[in-house]
Amino acid sequence: MTPDRRCVMVRVTGHVQGVGFRDWTVRQARGLDLDGWVSNEADGSVKALVCGSDRAVSAMLEAFMLGPEPARVTDVLWTHAGDDGQSGFRIAP
């Protein structure tokens, strides 16, 4: 793990399911060279573990606030998280 690497657990609420949010997240995260995963939650939110450089994680948090075009994000909550050591970014079941 590099000194500037950090991980955050993110919960995005609003109209974020059924709008391609997970696929969009994977594209954004891979473009920023981030590791982690994204999943739909039963309550209608989207949850993600995002790990990478401080700059890339910050950029992803900003991107989450906008989301893809059809989404309507109402809130982005995040907390520091442990690094699960995973490489790459994927959609989790």
Side-chain angles (χ1 to χ4, degrees), residues 39-78:
S39 67
N40 283 339
E41 297 295 294
D43 66 1
S45 66
V46 168
K47 184 176 180 181
L49 175 67
V50 178
C51 299
S53 72
D54 187 55
R55 194 180 90 204
V57 170
S58 294
M60 190 70 217
L61 290 172
E62 287 182 29
F64 275 134
M65 292 183 197
L66 298 174
E69 181 57 37
R72 289 190 309 277
V73 174
T74 57
D75 206 1
V76 177
L77 303 171
W78 64 271

Side-chain angles (χ1 to χ4, degrees), residues 9-71:
M9 187 65 69
V10 184
R11 182 172 175 260
V12 184
T13 58
H15 180 64
V16 293
Q17 288 190 14
V19 294
F21 204 97
R22 291 176 302 162
D23 289 333
W24 172 87
T25 298
V26 169
R27 287 192 306 274
Q28 297 297 311
R30 288 178 179 168
L32 291 166
D33 198 28
L34 292 166
D35 300 316
W37 51 263
V38 61
S39 67
N40 283 339
E41 297 295 294
D43 66 1
S45 66
V46 168
K47 184 176 180 181
L49 175 67
V50 178
C51 299
S53 72
D54 187 55
R55 194 180 90 204
V57 170
S58 294
M60 190 70 217
L61 290 172
E62 287 182 29
F64 275 134
M65 292 183 197
L66 298 174
E69 181 57 37

